[in-house]
Amino acid sequence: MTSDASLQPIQSAKSAVESLAAVLGAALPGTLASADDPANALLHDAGVARAVVGRLRREGSGAGNDGLCRWLYDAFQSNLPEIQLAVLRFVPALAGVYMSRAVSRKPLAGFEAVLLALYAHAAAQRGSGEAETVSLPNLANPSVYHDAKVPPKTKAAELDVAVLSPALEPHGTMRATRRARIVGAVLELYHGKLAIMPLSSKMEFCEFCVAWTGNRSKLDDKPRVVAAPEPAAAEEKLRRVPLPWELFQPVLRIVAHCLLGPTNSDELKTQATRAAECMYWRAAETMDARSVLAARSLVRLSQMTEEPIPEPSFSGAVETNMAELEAMRANILSNKN
């Protein structure tokens, strides 16, 4: 992967900032260079996020000589966990722009090099040939909640094993037939760190999710909590992309976390609700049973969260208990007399 800037090897958070400054130049906020914790600033600084995301979304980005893609690649390959987190923060913009442009068959060697590096890391973490699975209870076995219709004759029936993510095969190149699987695995890697990602990163993902579906939500006709910023003139319009199950599932899992996860941001919940509805209508178009069921369930859960559950009141019980205690006290005193 070539570069338009001469970058030094990244061996620390400070060298990562210096290398990024060489790429972005004047676009890099001054607060980053003077930060006490450069890695934390790379992850959470809003000015850094605007500069990097704006560069990624700029028309013509993602080529083989893109200096920012080279920085993202080198930063992640540094194997410094705090710098790798900073790279993962930009996965929504990286994957969002790449998938929107890939359908037009533009040369995107810079984007692909970064995505393949992230994919290789995810494959190494999971292990060769290891699928991500979850064990589900088999209803043929009795439990404390139900009796089995047909008692097992000899031994209990085995648990049902559902595959959340198939095994990750090694891939050194990006092809159209494996693009959804590679990007989906990168999104699974992002999902694993989603709890510590900044709010702006999650908002960007929901925005790209809506663009990928090519649909409109009923919330598009209502005033939003905070209006989304207008794209810059040099940015390309995002396109509808193919969403097979290996890409649809990790996208929906991230949207579900944004919608139902521990957050106090009404803005994020509104954007995630919009994304969930768009995902449902996209699934309804393809009539894929798994996608329809998963997206419809998420939409229904989002509707349930809009109806607050009243908190139980214990005032009556407390008053009753106090009255009983006073009666017992009076009875004890009368017996002593």
Side-chain angles (χ1 to χ4, degrees):
M1 179 178 174
T2 59
S3 172
D4 59 0
S6 178
L7 301 180
Q8 298 297 325
I10 295 176
Q11 299 176 346
S12 64
K14 183 179 179 180
S15 63
V17 171
E18 293 173 350
S19 298
L20 185 59
V23 174
L24 298 180
L28 186 70
T31 54
L32 182 61
S34 59
D36 296 331
D37 187 351
N40 186 68
L42 281 172
L43 180 63
H44 293 287
D45 191 279
V48 176
R50 284 192 299 268
V52 175
V53 173
R55 181 77 173 261
L56 290 173
R57 298 184 65 163
R58 192 172 64 182
E59 186 174 358
S61 62
N65 62 347
D66 190 312
L68 181 56
C69 289
R70 175 61 185 270
W71 181 85
L72 291 170
Y73 179 89
D74 290 344
F76 197 82
Q77 295 289 61
S78 68
N79 292 326
L80 299 172
E82 64 275 15
I83 300 301
Q84 289 180 329
L85 278 178
V87 175
L88 287 176
R89 181 256 173 268
F90 300 109
V91 161
L94 180 68
V97 176
Y98 171 73
M99 290 299 295
S100 295
R101 293 183 187 172
V103 295
S104 61
R105 299 184 178 181
K106 294 183 178 181
L108 301 168
F111 284 159
E112 291 174 352
V114 181
L115 290 170
L116 286 170
L118 295 172
Y119 175 84
H121 180 79
Q125 270 193 335
R126 186 180 299 182
S128 177
E130 294 291 333
E132 185 179 350
T133 61
V134 60
S135 298
L136 303 176
N138 193 318
L139 295 182
N141 297 322
S143 71
V144 295
Y145 303 104
H146 82 292
D147 295 325
K149 292 183 179 181
V150 180
K153 297 180 180 180
T154 55
K155 59 180 181 179
E158 296 182 356
L159 295 176
D160 292 327
V161 178
V163 178
L164 292 180
S165 177
L168 301 178
E169 302 297 334
H171 296 308
T173 58
M174 184 79 74
R175 296 180 181 177
T177 55
R178 63 180 66 149
R179 181 182 296 130
R181 182 69 192 111
I182 292 175
V183 176
V186 172
L187 293 181
E188 290 171 0
L189 186 65
Y190 174 76
H191 176 265
K193 302 295 184 181
L194 194 57
I196 54 180
M197 287 293 125
L199 175 65
S200 57
S201 180
K202 302 174 187 178
M203 291 289 294
E204 290 163 15
F205 182 84
C206 292
E207 176 193 353
F208 283 111
C209 177
V210 172
W212 284 359
T213 63
N215 293 313
R216 286 177 56 84
S217 163
K218 66 180 182 181
L219 296 177
D220 292 333
D221 301 325
K222 297 180 180 180
R224 300 184 194 173
V225 178
V226 176
E230 293 294 329
E235 293 178 2
E236 294 182 71
K237 183 179 179 181
L238 301 175
R239 295 181 176 89
R240 174 188 174 105
V241 303
L243 288 175
W245 177 247
E246 57 262 34
L247 183 58
F248 190 96
Q249 186 199 37
V251 168
L252 199 65
R253 289 170 66 184
I254 295 173
V255 172
H257 185 282
C258 295
L259 180 60
L260 306 174
T263 178
N264 296 322
S265 173
D266 292 334
E267 182 184 3
L268 177 60
K269 290 182 179 180
T270 299
Q271 189 78 330
T273 300
R274 179 168 171 253
E277 290 187 2
C278 291
M279 293 289 288
Y280 170 70
W281 290 117
R282 177 62 183 271
E285 292 178 11
T286 60
M287 294 302 293
D288 180 75
R290 295 174 299 181
S291 300
V292 171
L293 180 60
R296 183 176 61 182
S297 299
L298 182 57
V299 170
R300 288 183 174 177
L301 285 172
S302 70
Q303 294 170 349
M304 292 173 61
T305 58
E306 295 176 358
E307 302 175 1
I309 301 176
E311 296 184 1
S313 174
F314 300 100
S315 59
V318 172
E319 292 175 359
T320 301
N321 291 338
M322 290 300 296
E324 292 177 354
L325 290 174
E326 287 296 331
M328 292 174 61
R329 179 174 175 273
N331 186 34
I332 291 174
L333 293 176
S334 63
N335 290 335
K336 286 184 177 181
N337 295 332

